Amino acid sequence: MLGTLGLWALLPAAVQAPPSRRTCVFFEAPGVQGSTETLGKLLDAGPGPPRLIRCLYSHCCFGIWNLTQDQTQVEMQGCQEDDEPGCDSPQCDLSPRAHPSPGSTLFTCSCGTDLCNANYSHLPPRKSPGSLDSQGPQPAPGKVIWMALALLGLCLLLLLLGNTILALLQRKACPCRVPGGSQPEPEAERDWLAELPELPELSFSQVIQEGDLTVVWAGELQGELVAIKAFPPRAMAQFQAERALYQLPGLQHDHIVRFITSSKGSPGPLPCGPLLVLELHPKGSLYHYLTWHTSDWRSSMRMALSLTQGLVFLHEELWQDGHYKPSIAHRDLSSQNVLIREDGSCVIGDLGLALVLPGFTQPPARGPIQPRSPAAIMEAGTQRYMAPELLDKTLDLQDWGLALRRADIYSLALLLWEILSRCSDLWPDSRPPPFQLAYEAELGSSPTSSELWTLTVEERRRPHVPTTWHCFSTDPGGLRDLLEDCWDADPEARLTAECVQQRLAALASSPETCPALEECHLVCPPLHLEDCLSTPTPLHSSL
């Protein structure tokens, strides 16, 4: 279960530039006229300077410092417009360029390595205002010593700053080692860690999500931008279970996050741990996207349909290209664990709590260890999206595979409601209200399990469906009926994922008008809902 850190919005700029482009520190002091921001793509927009920029037109960084009698202050840092002479220098060697005012001198540098303009290597003697080449009046010996000490302290400070920038913003996968003074790892964990390969070409750039155990980084692997899910060494069992799921034969789908490889390593000096390298989706999570964007009916239906198609695939038990793919319950569907692709469709991610379910024809040849206790079966992720039967511990343990699929459908309904709540075409003035999570209007941003139980189990309340949603598609009650048939308090009354997909497809293809009721034709009409209830999904074959 991951909590978004709000950094996904920074990634599109990072992914548009080839990895071979030069990366420089970017800074512009307040009051500086003009900007070099257009010479590159900003990679970091944290709370304060410095930031990073990836150059578009050169392989050269620059820096400008203003030296006065009292201090040295950085004025600008960024990308050069072209590879001018001096760009082949590996470090920032300052040269005096101008005297903007009496008693101050501007020093500049050009250099040709990543982040080389973070700090300068040495400061040339300051020239007099009259001439950049002539030697000005010499200060008193005491003043020289004072200035030397001040500049030495400033240089040490800048060197420390540069090292910090390099450590934080250009982290590489480090060789695995046990830090001094750390607790010894259990033998089983050390054995598993030893079997994982190290990938020297894997680099970490910035954190994009963080949870109780794992941290997800954006990074690069052999020139491809990737997401790196880093586990601490103590979470080896969780890593093994999630990796086993991703490695199931046939678990490839357009709307399930793509697994690339597994490895071991860590960003910076952190203890080495297991890593999952996954496909990166720079648009970020569904939560982040809905917070900052509204969508028309067509785009909203694309998100809703693709999300449902991903869940249909997980729930299906099928043979595909000669491989058996078991039925899988996700158990942690939330708008933070669903990602947005470049085409606006959804991808289901974070299979950390997913479970392989008992098969109808044969058990899977391999996969995550099956739960052995009721507590393990009823374990779920984000409380806000937990089905009522999980909140009140009444999940059907006799047929727990079917019960967990039905619980997924409840979570799906809340996600569909969140998507529709930001559809501009469903509001009279085409202005949806600010995004709110399911039940946020009723319980706030951090509801307790007790509050959720009271609202959803005891009071049987669900997120509000505005009346403006009723007369948009060919069936005035289509959206409300769909949601109610998915988040029904009775798990047996809920639709299957496949039927949700059919109902959404019918709604998506309907015109944006409200014809007579007798013209409504849905794939699963209300009079025949028994055909869509969450019964076991039959085995499909592509042979």
Side-chain angles (χ1 to χ4, degrees):
M1 179 173 61
L2 298 177
T4 303
L5 295 181
L7 295 175
W8 279 103
L10 313 183
L11 290 174
V15 302
Q16 292 172 4
S20 59
R21 297 268 173 86
R22 177 71 61 233
T23 300
C24 306
V25 172
F26 179 82
F27 175 77
E28 292 177 346
V32 171
Q33 296 183 353
S35 176
T36 61
E37 182 176 336
T38 58
L39 299 180
K41 293 288 186 180
L42 290 177
L43 305 184
D44 187 4
R51 302 165 72 182
L52 294 184
I53 189 169
R54 182 162 288 169
C55 303
L56 292 177
Y57 308 108
S58 74
H59 293 79
C60 191
C61 305
F62 80 93
I64 301 176
W65 282 264
N66 187 10
L67 173 64
T68 65
Q69 292 183 351
D70 298 323
Q71 63 180 353
T72 301
Q73 178 177 329
V74 60
E75 296 288 340
M76 294 184 72
Q77 293 163 302
C79 294
Q80 288 279 21
E81 186 173 1
D82 50 39
D83 293 327
E84 64 178 26
C87 287
D88 53 349
S89 174
Q91 58 189 12
C92 177
D93 295 325
L94 294 181
S95 300
R97 292 300 185 205
H99 298 286
S101 63
S104 68
T105 305
L106 289 181
F107 289 85
T108 68
C109 78
S110 297
C111 51
T113 57
D114 286 341
L115 305 182
C116 60
N117 64 333
N119 58 294
Y120 49 79
S121 59
H122 68 276
L123 189 68
R126 188 169 63 88
K127 305 298 182 180
S128 67
S131 169
L132 289 178
D133 297 321
S134 61
Q135 185 68 38
Q138 299 296 315
K143 191 171 184 179
V144 170
I145 296 174
W146 180 88
M147 290 180 62
L149 291 175
L151 289 177
L152 178 60
L154 182 61
C155 289
L156 292 175
L157 179 63
L158 289 173
L159 181 60
L160 178 62
L161 175 62
N163 290 336
T164 302
I165 293 172
L166 291 174
L168 292 177
L169 301 176
Q170 201 181 33
R171 303 176 190 230
K172 302 293 182 181
C174 65
C176 285
R177 61 189 183 278
V178 178
S182 64
Q183 295 295 325
E185 300 174 3
E187 189 69 30
E189 291 182 3
R190 287 201 302 270
D191 291 345
W192 263 97
L193 201 59
E195 294 178 7
L196 292 172
E198 289 190 62
L199 301 175
E201 63 274 24
L202 181 66
S203 63
F204 298 75
S205 75
Q206 67 184 55
V207 173
I208 52 180
Q209 285 184 321
E210 187 170 7
D212 294 334
L213 278 179
T214 61
V215 178
V216 181
W217 293 72
E220 288 186 10
L221 177 62
Q222 296 179 339
E224 177 183 4
L225 288 141
V226 296
I228 309 167
K229 189 170 184 177
F231 296 74
R234 69 180 186 278
M236 181 61 72
Q238 291 87 340
F239 163 79
Q240 293 171 15
E242 188 166 357
R243 186 180 71 160
L245 253 167
Y246 279 118
Q247 291 182 333
L248 286 172
L251 194 70
Q252 293 84 37
H253 191 269
D254 286 343
H255 302 299
I256 304 296
V257 69
R258 179 171 61 92
F259 171 75
I260 298 174
T261 188
S262 59
S263 176
K264 61 183 174 184
S266 70
L270 297 178
C272 183
L275 308 172
L276 291 177
V277 183
L278 307 167
E279 182 180 19
L280 178 68
H281 294 281
K283 285 185 177 290
S285 67
L286 179 64
Y287 168 80
H288 177 270
Y289 187 85
L290 294 176
T291 300
W292 296 104
H293 301 87
T294 62
S295 302
D296 58 18
W297 174 254
R298 184 184 300 248
S299 300
S300 297
M301 285 296 101
R302 181 186 298 117
M303 286 189 284
L305 258 174
S306 56
L307 169 60
T308 307
Q309 288 166 354
L311 187 61
V312 168
F313 175 75
L314 283 180
H315 283 188
E316 281 182 327
E317 181 191 23
L318 53 85
W319 282 93
Q320 188 171 4
D321 299 328
H323 297 293
Y324 172 76
K325 183 254 162 201
S327 177
I328 298 169
H330 188 279
R331 302 204 301 167
D332 194 14
L333 282 176
S334 72
S335 50
Q336 292 180 337
N337 290 340
V338 174
L339 306 174
I340 300 296
R341 296 176 55 176
E342 290 291 344
D343 62 1
S345 62
C346 290
V347 176
I348 295 176
D350 196 346
L351 301 183
L353 289 177
L355 273 182
V356 171
L357 306 180
F360 306 130
T361 60
Q362 67 178 62
R366 57 174 179 164
I369 299 174
Q370 299 300 311
R372 298 179 180 178
S373 68
I377 292 174
M378 288 192 289
E379 181 184 5
T382 312
Q383 287 188 4
R384 183 186 302 274
Y385 299 91
M386 287 173 62
E389 61 270 23
L390 289 171
L391 289 171
D392 67 357
K393 309 299 182 183
T394 60
L395 186 87
D396 181 10
L397 296 176
Q398 296 299 314
D399 192 354
W400 58 269
L402 178 57
L404 290 178
R405 284 196 295 271
R406 289 168 173 168
D408 276 351
I409 296 299
Y410 174 88
S411 304
L412 173 66
L414 299 185
L415 294 182
L416 295 179
W417 179 88
E418 290 180 1
I419 291 171
L420 294 170
S421 72
R422 295 291 281 164
C423 177
S424 58
D425 289 329
L426 291 178
W427 301 88
D429 57 358
S430 297
R431 291 184 179 181
F435 175 67
Q436 286 187 311
L437 295 165
Y439 301 123
E440 186 172 357
E442 296 84 358
L443 300 177
S445 59
S446 302
T448 65
S449 57
S450 175
E451 291 172 335
L452 284 165
W453 181 90
T454 300
L455 186 76
T456 64
V457 178
E458 185 176 38
E459 300 176 5
R460 293 198 171 196
R461 292 170 60 187
R462 299 293 183 266
H464 174 62
V465 179
T467 56
T468 54
W469 294 12
H470 297 340
C471 287
F472 184 78
S473 62
T474 53
D475 183 352
L479 293 178
R480 175 185 286 276
D481 288 344
L482 174 61
L483 294 175
E484 290 181 347
D485 292 339
C486 291
W487 62 36
D488 198 293
D490 180 5
E492 295 182 1
R494 294 177 199 152
L495 306 180
T496 62
E498 189 171 10
C499 191
V500 177
Q501 178 182 331
Q502 293 172 346
R503 297 271 290 269
L504 282 171
L507 288 169
S509 62
S510 61
E512 300 177 14
T513 57
C514 196
L517 290 179
E518 58 269 16
E519 298 180 18
C520 298
H521 299 288
L522 287 177
V523 174
C524 299
L527 293 179
H528 302 285
L529 284 180
E530 62 272 12
D531 297 331
C532 295
L533 299 183
S534 48
T535 53
T537 307
L539 187 71
H540 295 281
S541 174
S542 60
L543 296 178

